[in-house]
PDB file of all heavy atoms in Angstrom:
ATOM      1  N   VAL U 337      70.735 136.194 163.918  1.00 97.00           N
ATOM      2  CA  VAL U 337      70.878 135.713 165.290  1.00 97.00           C
ATOM      3  C   VAL U 337      71.012 134.190 165.303  1.00 97.00           C
ATOM      4  O   VAL U 337      70.396 133.495 164.491  1.00 97.00           O
ATOM      5  CB  VAL U 337      69.662 136.131 166.152  1.00 97.00           C
ATOM      6  CG1 VAL U 337      69.842 135.700 167.605  1.00 97.00           C
ATOM      7  CG2 VAL U 337      69.427 137.637 166.067  1.00 97.00           C
ATOM      8  N   VAL U 338      71.808 133.681 166.242  1.00 98.00           N
ATOM      9  CA  VAL U 338      71.928 132.240 166.488  1.00 98.00           C
ATOM     10  C   VAL U 338      71.464 131.971 167.915  1.00 98.00           C
ATOM     11  O   VAL U 338      71.910 132.649 168.851  1.00 98.00           O
ATOM     12  CB  VAL U 338      73.379 131.755 166.309  1.00 98.00           C
ATOM     13  CG1 VAL U 338      73.507 130.289 166.724  1.00 98.00           C
ATOM     14  CG2 VAL U 338      73.832 131.936 164.875  1.00 98.00           C
ATOM     15  N   ILE U 339      70.561 131.012 168.090  1.00 97.00           N
ATOM     16  CA  ILE U 339      70.059 130.674 169.421  1.00 97.00           C
ATOM     17  C   ILE U 339      70.276 129.187 169.686  1.00 97.00           C
ATOM     18  O   ILE U 339      69.949 128.341 168.847  1.00 97.00           O
ATOM     19  CB  ILE U 339      68.557 131.010 169.568  1.00 97.00           C
ATOM     20  CG1 ILE U 339      68.325 132.516 169.435  1.00 97.00           C
ATOM     21  CG2 ILE U 339      68.022 130.511 170.916  1.00 97.00           C
ATOM     22  CD1 ILE U 339      66.862 132.928 169.529  1.00 97.00           C
ATOM     23  N   CYS U 340      70.806 128.888 170.863  1.00 97.00           N
ATOM     24  CA  CYS U 340      70.935 127.505 171.321  1.00 97.00           C
ATOM     25  C   CYS U 340      69.771 127.203 172.255  1.00 97.00           C
ATOM     26  O   CYS U 340      69.588 127.869 173.280  1.00 97.00           O
ATOM     27  CB  CYS U 340      72.260 127.304 172.053  1.00 97.00           C
ATOM     28  SG  CYS U 340      72.448 125.646 172.733  1.00 97.00           S
ATOM     29  N   ASN U 341      68.984 126.207 171.893  1.00 95.00           N
ATOM     30  CA  ASN U 341      67.810 125.825 172.676  1.00 95.00           C
ATOM     31  C   ASN U 341      68.207 124.782 173.723  1.00 95.00           C
ATOM     32  O   ASN U 341      68.377 123.608 173.421  1.00 95.00           O
ATOM     33  CB  ASN U 341      66.724 125.271 171.748  1.00 95.00           C
ATOM     34  CG  ASN U 341      65.443 124.922 172.484  1.00 95.00           C
ATOM     35  OD1 ASN U 341      65.395 124.891 173.717  1.00 95.00           O
ATOM     36  ND2 ASN U 341      64.380 124.644 171.745  1.00 95.00           N
ATOM     37  N   ALA U 342      68.357 125.230 174.975  1.00 94.00           N
ATOM     38  CA  ALA U 342      68.649 124.323 176.088  1.00 94.00           C
ATOM     39  C   ALA U 342      67.486 124.304 177.075  1.00 94.00           C
ATOM     40  O   ALA U 342      67.671 124.054 178.258  1.00 94.00           O
ATOM     41  CB  ALA U 342      69.944 124.738 176.787  1.00 94.00           C
ATOM     42  N   MET U 367      78.297 127.126 168.019  1.00 98.00           N
ATOM     43  CA  MET U 367      77.489 128.322 167.741  1.00 98.00           C
ATOM     44  C   MET U 367      78.294 129.362 166.971  1.00 98.00           C
ATOM     45  O   MET U 367      77.773 130.017 166.061  1.00 98.00           O
ATOM     46  CB  MET U 367      76.965 128.915 169.049  1.00 98.00           C
ATOM     47  CG  MET U 367      75.983 128.023 169.787  1.00 98.00           C
ATOM     48  SD  MET U 367      75.302 128.806 171.273  1.00 98.00           S
ATOM     49  CE  MET U 367      74.232 130.069 170.527  1.00 98.00           C
ATOM     50  N   GLU U 378      75.300 137.894 166.539  1.00 97.00           N
ATOM     51  CA  GLU U 378      74.897 137.810 167.951  1.00 97.00           C
ATOM     52  C   GLU U 378      74.221 136.471 168.211  1.00 97.00           C
ATOM     53  O   GLU U 378      73.633 135.866 167.304  1.00 97.00           O
ATOM     54  CB  GLU U 378      73.960 138.964 168.314  1.00 97.00           C
ATOM     55  CG  GLU U 378      72.765 139.098 167.384  1.00 97.00           C
ATOM     56  CD  GLU U 378      72.066 140.443 167.538  1.00 97.00           C
ATOM     57  OE1 GLU U 378      71.475 140.678 168.615  1.00 97.00           O
ATOM     58  OE2 GLU U 378      72.113 141.257 166.586  1.00 97.00           O
ATOM     59  N   GLY U 379      74.330 136.023 169.450  1.00 97.00           N
ATOM     60  CA  GLY U 379      73.746 134.739 169.784  1.00 97.00           C
ATOM     61  C   GLY U 379      73.275 134.678 171.223  1.00 97.00           C
ATOM     62  O   GLY U 379      73.687 135.477 172.068  1.00 97.00           O
ATOM     63  N   ILE U 380      72.396 133.711 171.489  1.00 98.00           N
ATOM     64  CA  ILE U 380      71.816 133.531 172.819  1.00 98.00           C
ATOM     65  C   ILE U 380      71.813 132.044 173.154  1.00 98.00           C
ATOM     66  O   ILE U 380      71.444 131.209 172.320  1.00 98.00           O
ATOM     67  CB  ILE U 380      70.374 134.068 172.877  1.00 98.00           C
ATOM     68  CG1 ILE U 380      70.348 135.588 172.687  1.00 98.00           C
ATOM     69  CG2 ILE U 380      69.691 133.694 174.203  1.00 98.00           C
ATOM     70  CD1 ILE U 380      68.951 136.139 172.472  1.00 98.00           C
ATOM     71  N   ILE U 381      72.242 131.725 174.378  1.00 98.00           N
ATOM     72  CA  ILE U 381      72.076 130.367 174.898  1.00 98.00           C
ATOM     73  C   ILE U 381      70.905 130.411 175.867  1.00 98.00           C
ATOM     74  O   ILE U 381      70.985 131.023 176.926  1.00 98.00           O
ATOM     75  CB  ILE U 381      73.351 129.868 175.598  1.00 98.00           C
ATOM     76  CG1 ILE U 381      74.529 129.875 174.621  1.00 98.00           C
ATOM     77  CG2 ILE U 381      73.135 128.460 176.155  1.00 98.00           C
ATOM     78  CD1 ILE U 381      75.842 129.458 175.240  1.00 98.00           C
ATOM     79  N   TYR U 382      69.803 129.780 175.470  1.00 97.00           N
ATOM     80  CA  TYR U 382      68.563 129.811 176.249  1.00 97.00           C
ATOM     81  C   TYR U 382      68.552 128.599 177.183  1.00 97.00           C
ATOM     82  O   TYR U 382      68.371 127.465 176.743  1.00 97.00           O
ATOM     83  CB  TYR U 382      67.361 129.791 175.312  1.00 97.00           C
ATOM     84  CG  TYR U 382      66.008 129.992 175.982  1.00 97.00           C
ATOM     85  CD1 TYR U 382      65.355 131.213 175.885  1.00 97.00           C
ATOM     86  CD2 TYR U 382      65.388 128.964 176.688  1.00 97.00           C
ATOM     87  CE1 TYR U 382      64.107 131.409 176.479  1.00 97.00           C
ATOM     88  CE2 TYR U 382      64.156 129.143 177.290  1.00 97.00           C
ATOM     89  CZ  TYR U 382      63.521 130.363 177.178  1.00 97.00           C
ATOM     90  OH  TYR U 382      62.288 130.549 177.768  1.00 97.00           O
ATOM     91  N   VAL U 383      68.779 128.835 178.473  1.00 96.00           N
ATOM     92  CA  VAL U 383      68.853 127.768 179.472  1.00 96.00           C
ATOM     93  C   VAL U 383      67.766 127.991 180.510  1.00 96.00           C
ATOM     94  O   VAL U 383      67.568 129.116 180.973  1.00 96.00           O
ATOM     95  CB  VAL U 383      70.225 127.758 180.180  1.00 96.00           C
ATOM     96  CG1 VAL U 383      70.370 126.526 181.065  1.00 96.00           C
ATOM     97  CG2 VAL U 383      71.355 127.834 179.188  1.00 96.00           C
ATOM     98  N   PHE U 418      81.288 138.018 166.907  1.00 97.00           N
ATOM     99  CA  PHE U 418      80.136 137.242 167.369  1.00 97.00           C
ATOM    100  C   PHE U 418      80.061 137.358 168.883  1.00 97.00           C
ATOM    101  O   PHE U 418      81.002 137.002 169.589  1.00 97.00           O
ATOM    102  CB  PHE U 418      80.271 135.777 166.947  1.00 97.00           C
ATOM    103  CG  PHE U 418      79.121 134.901 167.386  1.00 97.00           C
ATOM    104  CD1 PHE U 418      77.809 135.206 167.034  1.00 97.00           C
ATOM    105  CD2 PHE U 418      79.352 133.765 168.149  1.00 97.00           C
ATOM    106  CE1 PHE U 418      76.753 134.397 167.441  1.00 97.00           C
ATOM    107  CE2 PHE U 418      78.316 132.932 168.551  1.00 97.00           C
ATOM    108  CZ  PHE U 418      77.009 133.257 168.194  1.00 97.00           C
ATOM    109  N   ARG U 419      78.942 137.883 169.363  1.00 97.00           N
ATOM    110  CA  ARG U 419      78.752 138.069 170.810  1.00 97.00           C
ATOM    111  C   ARG U 419      77.665 137.110 171.301  1.00 97.00           C
ATOM    112  O   ARG U 419      76.610 136.997 170.686  1.00 97.00           O
ATOM    113  CB  ARG U 419      78.375 139.509 171.125  1.00 97.00           C
ATOM    114  CG  ARG U 419      79.514 140.492 170.877  1.00 97.00           C
ATOM    115  CD  ARG U 419      79.170 141.900 171.328  1.00 97.00           C
ATOM    116  NE  ARG U 419      80.356 142.750 171.324  1.00 97.00           N
ATOM    117  CZ  ARG U 419      81.206 142.864 172.349  1.00 97.00           C
ATOM    118  NH1 ARG U 419      80.969 142.152 173.447  1.00 97.00           N
ATOM    119  NH2 ARG U 419      82.251 143.643 172.278  1.00 97.00           N
ATOM    120  N   LEU U 420      77.942 136.467 172.434  1.00 97.00           N
ATOM    121  CA  LEU U 420      77.026 135.482 173.001  1.00 97.00           C
ATOM    122  C   LEU U 420      76.611 135.876 174.411  1.00 97.00           C
ATOM    123  O   LEU U 420      77.432 136.351 175.201  1.00 97.00           O
ATOM    124  CB  LEU U 420      77.710 134.109 173.060  1.00 97.00           C
ATOM    125  CG  LEU U 420      77.350 133.055 172.013  1.00 97.00           C
ATOM    126  CD1 LEU U 420      78.187 131.804 172.238  1.00 97.00           C
ATOM    127  CD2 LEU U 420      75.880 132.723 172.062  1.00 97.00           C
ATOM    128  N   THR U 421      75.322 135.671 174.716  1.00 97.00           N
ATOM    129  CA  THR U 421      74.824 135.914 176.070  1.00 97.00           C
ATOM    130  C   THR U 421      73.976 134.714 176.511  1.00 97.00           C
ATOM    131  O   THR U 421      73.548 133.898 175.694  1.00 97.00           O
ATOM    132  CB  THR U 421      73.959 137.189 176.134  1.00 97.00           C
ATOM    133  OG1 THR U 421      72.873 137.069 175.195  1.00 97.00           O
ATOM    134  CG2 THR U 421      74.777 138.429 175.800  1.00 97.00           C
ATOM    135  N   VAL U 422      73.748 134.643 177.809  1.00 97.00           N
ATOM    136  CA  VAL U 422      72.901 133.591 178.382  1.00 97.00           C
ATOM    137  C   VAL U 422      71.552 134.190 178.746  1.00 97.00           C
ATOM    138  O   VAL U 422      71.487 135.260 179.355  1.00 97.00           O
ATOM    139  CB  VAL U 422      73.553 132.968 179.633  1.00 97.00           C
ATOM    140  CG1 VAL U 422      72.600 131.983 180.309  1.00 97.00           C
ATOM    141  CG2 VAL U 422      74.851 132.262 179.263  1.00 97.00           C
ATOM    142  N   PHE U 423      70.484 133.505 178.369  1.00 96.00           N
ATOM    143  CA  PHE U 423      69.124 133.914 178.751  1.00 96.00           C
ATOM    144  C   PHE U 423      68.524 132.777 179.572  1.00 96.00           C
ATOM    145  O   PHE U 423      68.502 131.629 179.131  1.00 96.00           O
ATOM    146  CB  PHE U 423      68.262 134.180 177.517  1.00 96.00           C
ATOM    147  CG  PHE U 423      66.879 134.689 177.833  1.00 96.00           C
ATOM    148  CD1 PHE U 423      66.598 136.046 177.811  1.00 96.00           C
ATOM    149  CD2 PHE U 423      65.853 133.813 178.168  1.00 96.00           C
ATOM    150  CE1 PHE U 423      65.327 136.523 178.107  1.00 96.00           C
ATOM    151  CE2 PHE U 423      64.585 134.274 178.467  1.00 96.00           C
ATOM    152  CZ  PHE U 423      64.313 135.628 178.434  1.00 96.00           C
ATOM    153  N   GLN U 424      68.040 133.106 180.774  1.00 95.00           N
ATOM    154  CA  GLN U 424      67.462 132.090 181.636  1.00 95.00           C
ATOM    155  C   GLN U 424      65.945 132.045 181.476  1.00 95.00           C
ATOM    156  O   GLN U 424      65.257 133.013 181.754  1.00 95.00           O
ATOM    157  CB  GLN U 424      67.820 132.359 183.099  1.00 95.00           C
ATOM    158  CG  GLN U 424      69.307 132.265 183.388  1.00 95.00           C
ATOM    159  CD  GLN U 424      69.621 132.374 184.864  1.00 95.00           C
ATOM    160  OE1 GLN U 424      69.069 131.637 185.692  1.00 95.00           O
ATOM    161  NE2 GLN U 424      70.504 133.304 185.201  1.00 95.00           N
ATOM    162  N   LEU U 437      59.897 129.912 172.351  1.00 93.00           N
ATOM    163  CA  LEU U 437      61.162 130.338 172.953  1.00 93.00           C
ATOM    164  C   LEU U 437      61.489 131.776 172.532  1.00 93.00           C
ATOM    165  O   LEU U 437      61.894 132.607 173.360  1.00 93.00           O
ATOM    166  CB  LEU U 437      62.273 129.383 172.520  1.00 93.00           C
ATOM    167  CG  LEU U 437      63.681 129.600 173.060  1.00 93.00           C
ATOM    168  CD1 LEU U 437      64.438 128.274 173.104  1.00 93.00           C
ATOM    169  CD2 LEU U 437      64.479 130.588 172.197  1.00 93.00           C
ATOM    170  N   VAL U 441      62.078 135.174 174.884  1.00 95.00           N
ATOM    171  CA  VAL U 441      63.238 136.063 174.870  1.00 95.00           C
ATOM    172  C   VAL U 441      62.810 137.505 174.618  1.00 95.00           C
ATOM    173  O   VAL U 441      63.387 138.452 175.174  1.00 95.00           O
ATOM    174  CB  VAL U 441      64.254 135.618 173.796  1.00 95.00           C
ATOM    175  CG1 VAL U 441      65.416 136.601 173.705  1.00 95.00           C
ATOM    176  CG2 VAL U 441      64.767 134.218 174.103  1.00 95.00           C
ATOM    177  N   GLU U 442      61.785 137.689 173.821  1.00 93.00           N
ATOM    178  CA  GLU U 442      61.305 139.046 173.508  1.00 93.00           C
ATOM    179  C   GLU U 442      60.541 139.674 174.665  1.00 93.00           C
ATOM    180  O   GLU U 442      60.182 140.850 174.605  1.00 93.00           O
ATOM    181  CB  GLU U 442      60.413 138.998 172.269  1.00 93.00           C
ATOM    182  CG  GLU U 442      61.180 138.671 170.982  1.00 93.00           C
ATOM    183  CD  GLU U 442      60.269 138.463 169.784  1.00 93.00           C
ATOM    184  OE1 GLU U 442      59.064 138.169 169.986  1.00 93.00           O
ATOM    185  OE2 GLU U 442      60.753 138.588 168.640  1.00 93.00           O
ATOM    186  N   LEU U 460      63.822 136.130 166.016  1.00 94.00           N
ATOM    187  CA  LEU U 460      63.906 137.057 167.144  1.00 94.00           C
ATOM    188  C   LEU U 460      63.866 138.502 166.653  1.00 94.00           C
ATOM    189  O   LEU U 460      64.675 138.913 165.828  1.00 94.00           O
ATOM    190  CB  LEU U 460      65.205 136.791 167.914  1.00 94.00           C
ATOM    191  CG  LEU U 460      65.402 137.610 169.189  1.00 94.00           C
ATOM    192  CD1 LEU U 460      64.385 137.217 170.260  1.00 94.00           C
ATOM    193  CD2 LEU U 460      66.825 137.450 169.716  1.00 94.00           C
ATOM    194  N   HIS U 461      62.906 139.255 167.159  1.00 95.00           N
ATOM    195  CA  HIS U 461      62.700 140.662 166.771  1.00 95.00           C
ATOM    196  C   HIS U 461      62.594 140.825 165.252  1.00 95.00           C
ATOM    197  O   HIS U 461      62.987 141.862 164.693  1.00 95.00           O
ATOM    198  CB  HIS U 461      63.839 141.545 167.307  1.00 95.00           C
ATOM    199  CG  HIS U 461      64.036 141.461 168.784  1.00 95.00           C
ATOM    200  ND1 HIS U 461      63.025 141.719 169.689  1.00 95.00           N
ATOM    201  CD2 HIS U 461      65.130 141.122 169.537  1.00 95.00           C
ATOM    202  CE1 HIS U 461      63.481 141.565 170.921  1.00 95.00           C
ATOM    203  NE2 HIS U 461      64.750 141.198 170.854  1.00 95.00           N
ATOM    204  N   VAL U 466      68.713 131.359 163.485  1.00 97.00           N
ATOM    205  CA  VAL U 466      68.959 129.911 163.497  1.00 97.00           C
ATOM    206  C   VAL U 466      68.785 129.426 164.924  1.00 97.00           C
ATOM    207  O   VAL U 466      69.451 129.909 165.840  1.00 97.00           O
ATOM    208  CB  VAL U 466      70.373 129.562 163.008  1.00 97.00           C
ATOM    209  CG1 VAL U 466      70.637 128.061 163.195  1.00 97.00           C
ATOM    210  CG2 VAL U 466      70.551 129.944 161.552  1.00 97.00           C
ATOM    211  N   ASN U 468      69.047 125.917 167.073  1.00 96.00           N
ATOM    212  CA  ASN U 468      69.398 124.500 167.135  1.00 96.00           C
ATOM    213  C   ASN U 468      69.532 124.069 168.586  1.00 96.00           C
ATOM    214  O   ASN U 468      69.783 124.885 169.470  1.00 96.00           O
ATOM    215  CB  ASN U 468      70.718 124.217 166.399  1.00 96.00           C
ATOM    216  CG  ASN U 468      70.551 124.107 164.893  1.00 96.00           C
ATOM    217  OD1 ASN U 468      71.277 124.734 164.124  1.00 96.00           O
ATOM    218  ND2 ASN U 468      69.594 123.309 164.449  1.00 96.00           N
ATOM    219  N   PHE U 473      74.534 121.715 168.121  1.00 97.00           N
ATOM    220  CA  PHE U 473      75.722 122.582 168.120  1.00 97.00           C
ATOM    221  C   PHE U 473      76.952 121.842 168.631  1.00 97.00           C
ATOM    222  O   PHE U 473      78.064 122.073 168.158  1.00 97.00           O
ATOM    223  CB  PHE U 473      75.469 123.830 168.972  1.00 97.00           C
ATOM    224  CG  PHE U 473      74.623 124.879 168.296  1.00 97.00           C
ATOM    225  CD1 PHE U 473      73.469 125.358 168.894  1.00 97.00           C
ATOM    226  CD2 PHE U 473      74.981 125.390 167.064  1.00 97.00           C
ATOM    227  CE1 PHE U 473      72.684 126.317 168.277  1.00 97.00           C
ATOM    228  CE2 PHE U 473      74.208 126.363 166.429  1.00 97.00           C
ATOM    229  CZ  PHE U 473      73.054 126.826 167.044  1.00 97.00           C
TER     230      PHE U 473
END
Side-chain angles (χ1 to χ4, degrees):
V337 183
V338 174
I339 296 178
C340 177
N341 183 349
M367 294 184 71
E378 53 195 293
I380 294 169
I381 301 177
Y382 187 104
V383 188
F418 180 56
R419 291 186 169 273
L420 257 178
T421 57
V422 174
F423 184 96
Q424 296 187 53
L437 182 152
V441 176
E442 291 173 339
L460 184 67
H461 304 304
V466 173
N468 280 130
F473 282 125

